[in-house]
Amino acid sequence: QKEVEQDPGPLSVPEGAIVSLNCTYSNSAFQYFMWYRQYSRKGPELLMYTYSSGNKEDGRFTAQVDKSSKYISLFIRDSQPSDSATYLCAMSAFAGGTSYGKLTFGQGTILTVHP
Amino acid sequence: EAEVAQSPRYKITEKSQAVAFWCDPISGHATLYWYRQILGQGPELLVQFQDESVVDDSQLPKDRFSAERLKGVDSTLKIQPAELGDSAMYLCASSARTGGRIMNTEAFFGQGTRLTVV
């Protein structure tokens, strides 16, 4: 079983829809959670970064972390065609002692927002 | 805006040849990662540096892959000899260290090098 599981989709929604992307994880040492957006043939672009349970909002994006359930989500409100991309969740343990904060990624969810 | 620089963007090489990728992280970032991303999958860590030291290379195929970061700034990843299964996107990322204590901060990626082995 992989440490981080992410539904690869693909997910297709109409413009303006609310999108929910999710990841589950098994390693309770994970403390830091990130969401990346990756356009075709490009490197991942950091969207959200959080290290606590609860919600963090940035414009149309909301990241949600539930450490007790080992579950994280990214919500996109008022989705736009320009949001069409692959969304990757990533997480890491605290970088102390023998742990150096290795990032572990999910498989990525392919999202298409059609006009 | 500061960014992670990688070169080349694309590389086509024949099986059994040597190939090298270069990465220049964001200035001041102590942590540098090399990831490999196979099409349709998430990135997987190959090697992680803290300054000039390797802190994780457990997934690096050491019989053919090598990585160095001699002065703790830019880094080179080499494959020799290349195999067909090495075709992938090779991504470099960097993150900062806060003060004298290793802290997790956001990791920023370069545009990657897309390698095709024929």
Side-chain angles (χ1 to χ4, degrees):
Chain A
Q1 183 185 4
K2 292 185 177 181
E3 282 189 295
V4 180
E5 298 280 356
Q6 182 176 7
D7 186 341
L11 187 61
S12 181
V13 302
E15 183 175 356
I18 296 175
V19 175
S20 172
L21 305 166
N22 311 296
C23 287
T24 59
Y25 62 96
S26 57
N27 187 347
S28 57
F30 287 146
Q31 298 291 326
Y32 301 88
F33 305 92
M34 286 158 268
W35 284 95
Y36 288 85
R37 176 174 63 195
Q38 187 174 26
Y39 292 114
S40 181
R41 300 182 183 277
K42 301 286 188 180
E45 168 195 9
L46 182 66
L47 282 177
M48 302 285 285
Y49 168 82
T50 183
Y51 54 86
S52 58
S53 284
N55 294 352
K56 180 178 181 180
E57 191 173 315
D58 184 1
R60 296 185 296 110
F61 298 91
T62 299
Q64 187 176 80
V65 174
D66 182 347
K67 291 185 180 179
S68 62
S69 300
K70 298 188 178 68
Y71 187 89
I72 69 171
S73 299
L74 178 71
F75 297 97
I76 307 173
R77 292 184 300 280
D78 188 24
S79 56
Q80 302 295 309
S82 59
D83 294 329
S84 298
T86 296
Y87 289 80
L88 296 156
C89 64
M91 44 198 80
S92 67
F94 174 65
T98 58
S99 170
Y100 287 90
K102 165 189 171 181
L103 289 178
T104 302
F105 282 83
Q107 183 176 353
T109 300
I110 300 171
L111 171 68
T112 302
V113 181
H114 51 85
Chain B
E1 182 176 297
E3 60 181 30
V4 177
Q6 287 189 250
S7 66
R9 285 294 310 278
Y10 304 94
K11 181 70 176 179
I12 299 174
T13 191
E14 292 184 348
K15 186 176 60 172
S16 78
Q17 294 299 303
V19 63
F21 315 127
W22 177 80
C23 172
D24 191 11
I26 293 172
S27 179
H29 279 194
T31 304
L32 186 148
Y33 310 84
W34 282 102
Y35 280 83
R36 178 169 59 186
Q37 185 177 25
I38 295 170
L39 191 63
Q41 298 183 21
E44 292 186 333
L45 182 70
L46 290 174
V47 61
Q48 180 178 346
F49 289 90
Q50 195 66 34
D51 298 308
E52 67 276 8
S53 300
V54 173
V55 297
D56 189 342
D57 63 356
S58 57
Q59 300 302 311
L60 187 71
K62 299 182 186 65
D63 58 335
R64 298 186 299 109
F65 286 65
S66 64
E68 61 181 16
R69 192 184 185 197
L70 293 176
K71 296 183 179 179
V73 182
D74 59 338
S75 175
T76 302
L77 178 69
K78 297 178 181 177
I79 307 175
Q80 182 173 19
E83 295 181 354
L84 295 176
D86 296 332
S87 295
M89 173 83 91
Y90 289 82
L91 294 161
C92 179
S94 70
S95 64
R97 179 169 66 187
T98 302
R101 180 165 175 252
I102 299 173
M103 295 284 290
N104 277 67
T105 63
E106 302 94 314
F108 297 91
F109 281 81
Q111 291 302 302
T113 296
R114 179 167 294 280
L115 173 68
T116 302
V117 182
V118 298

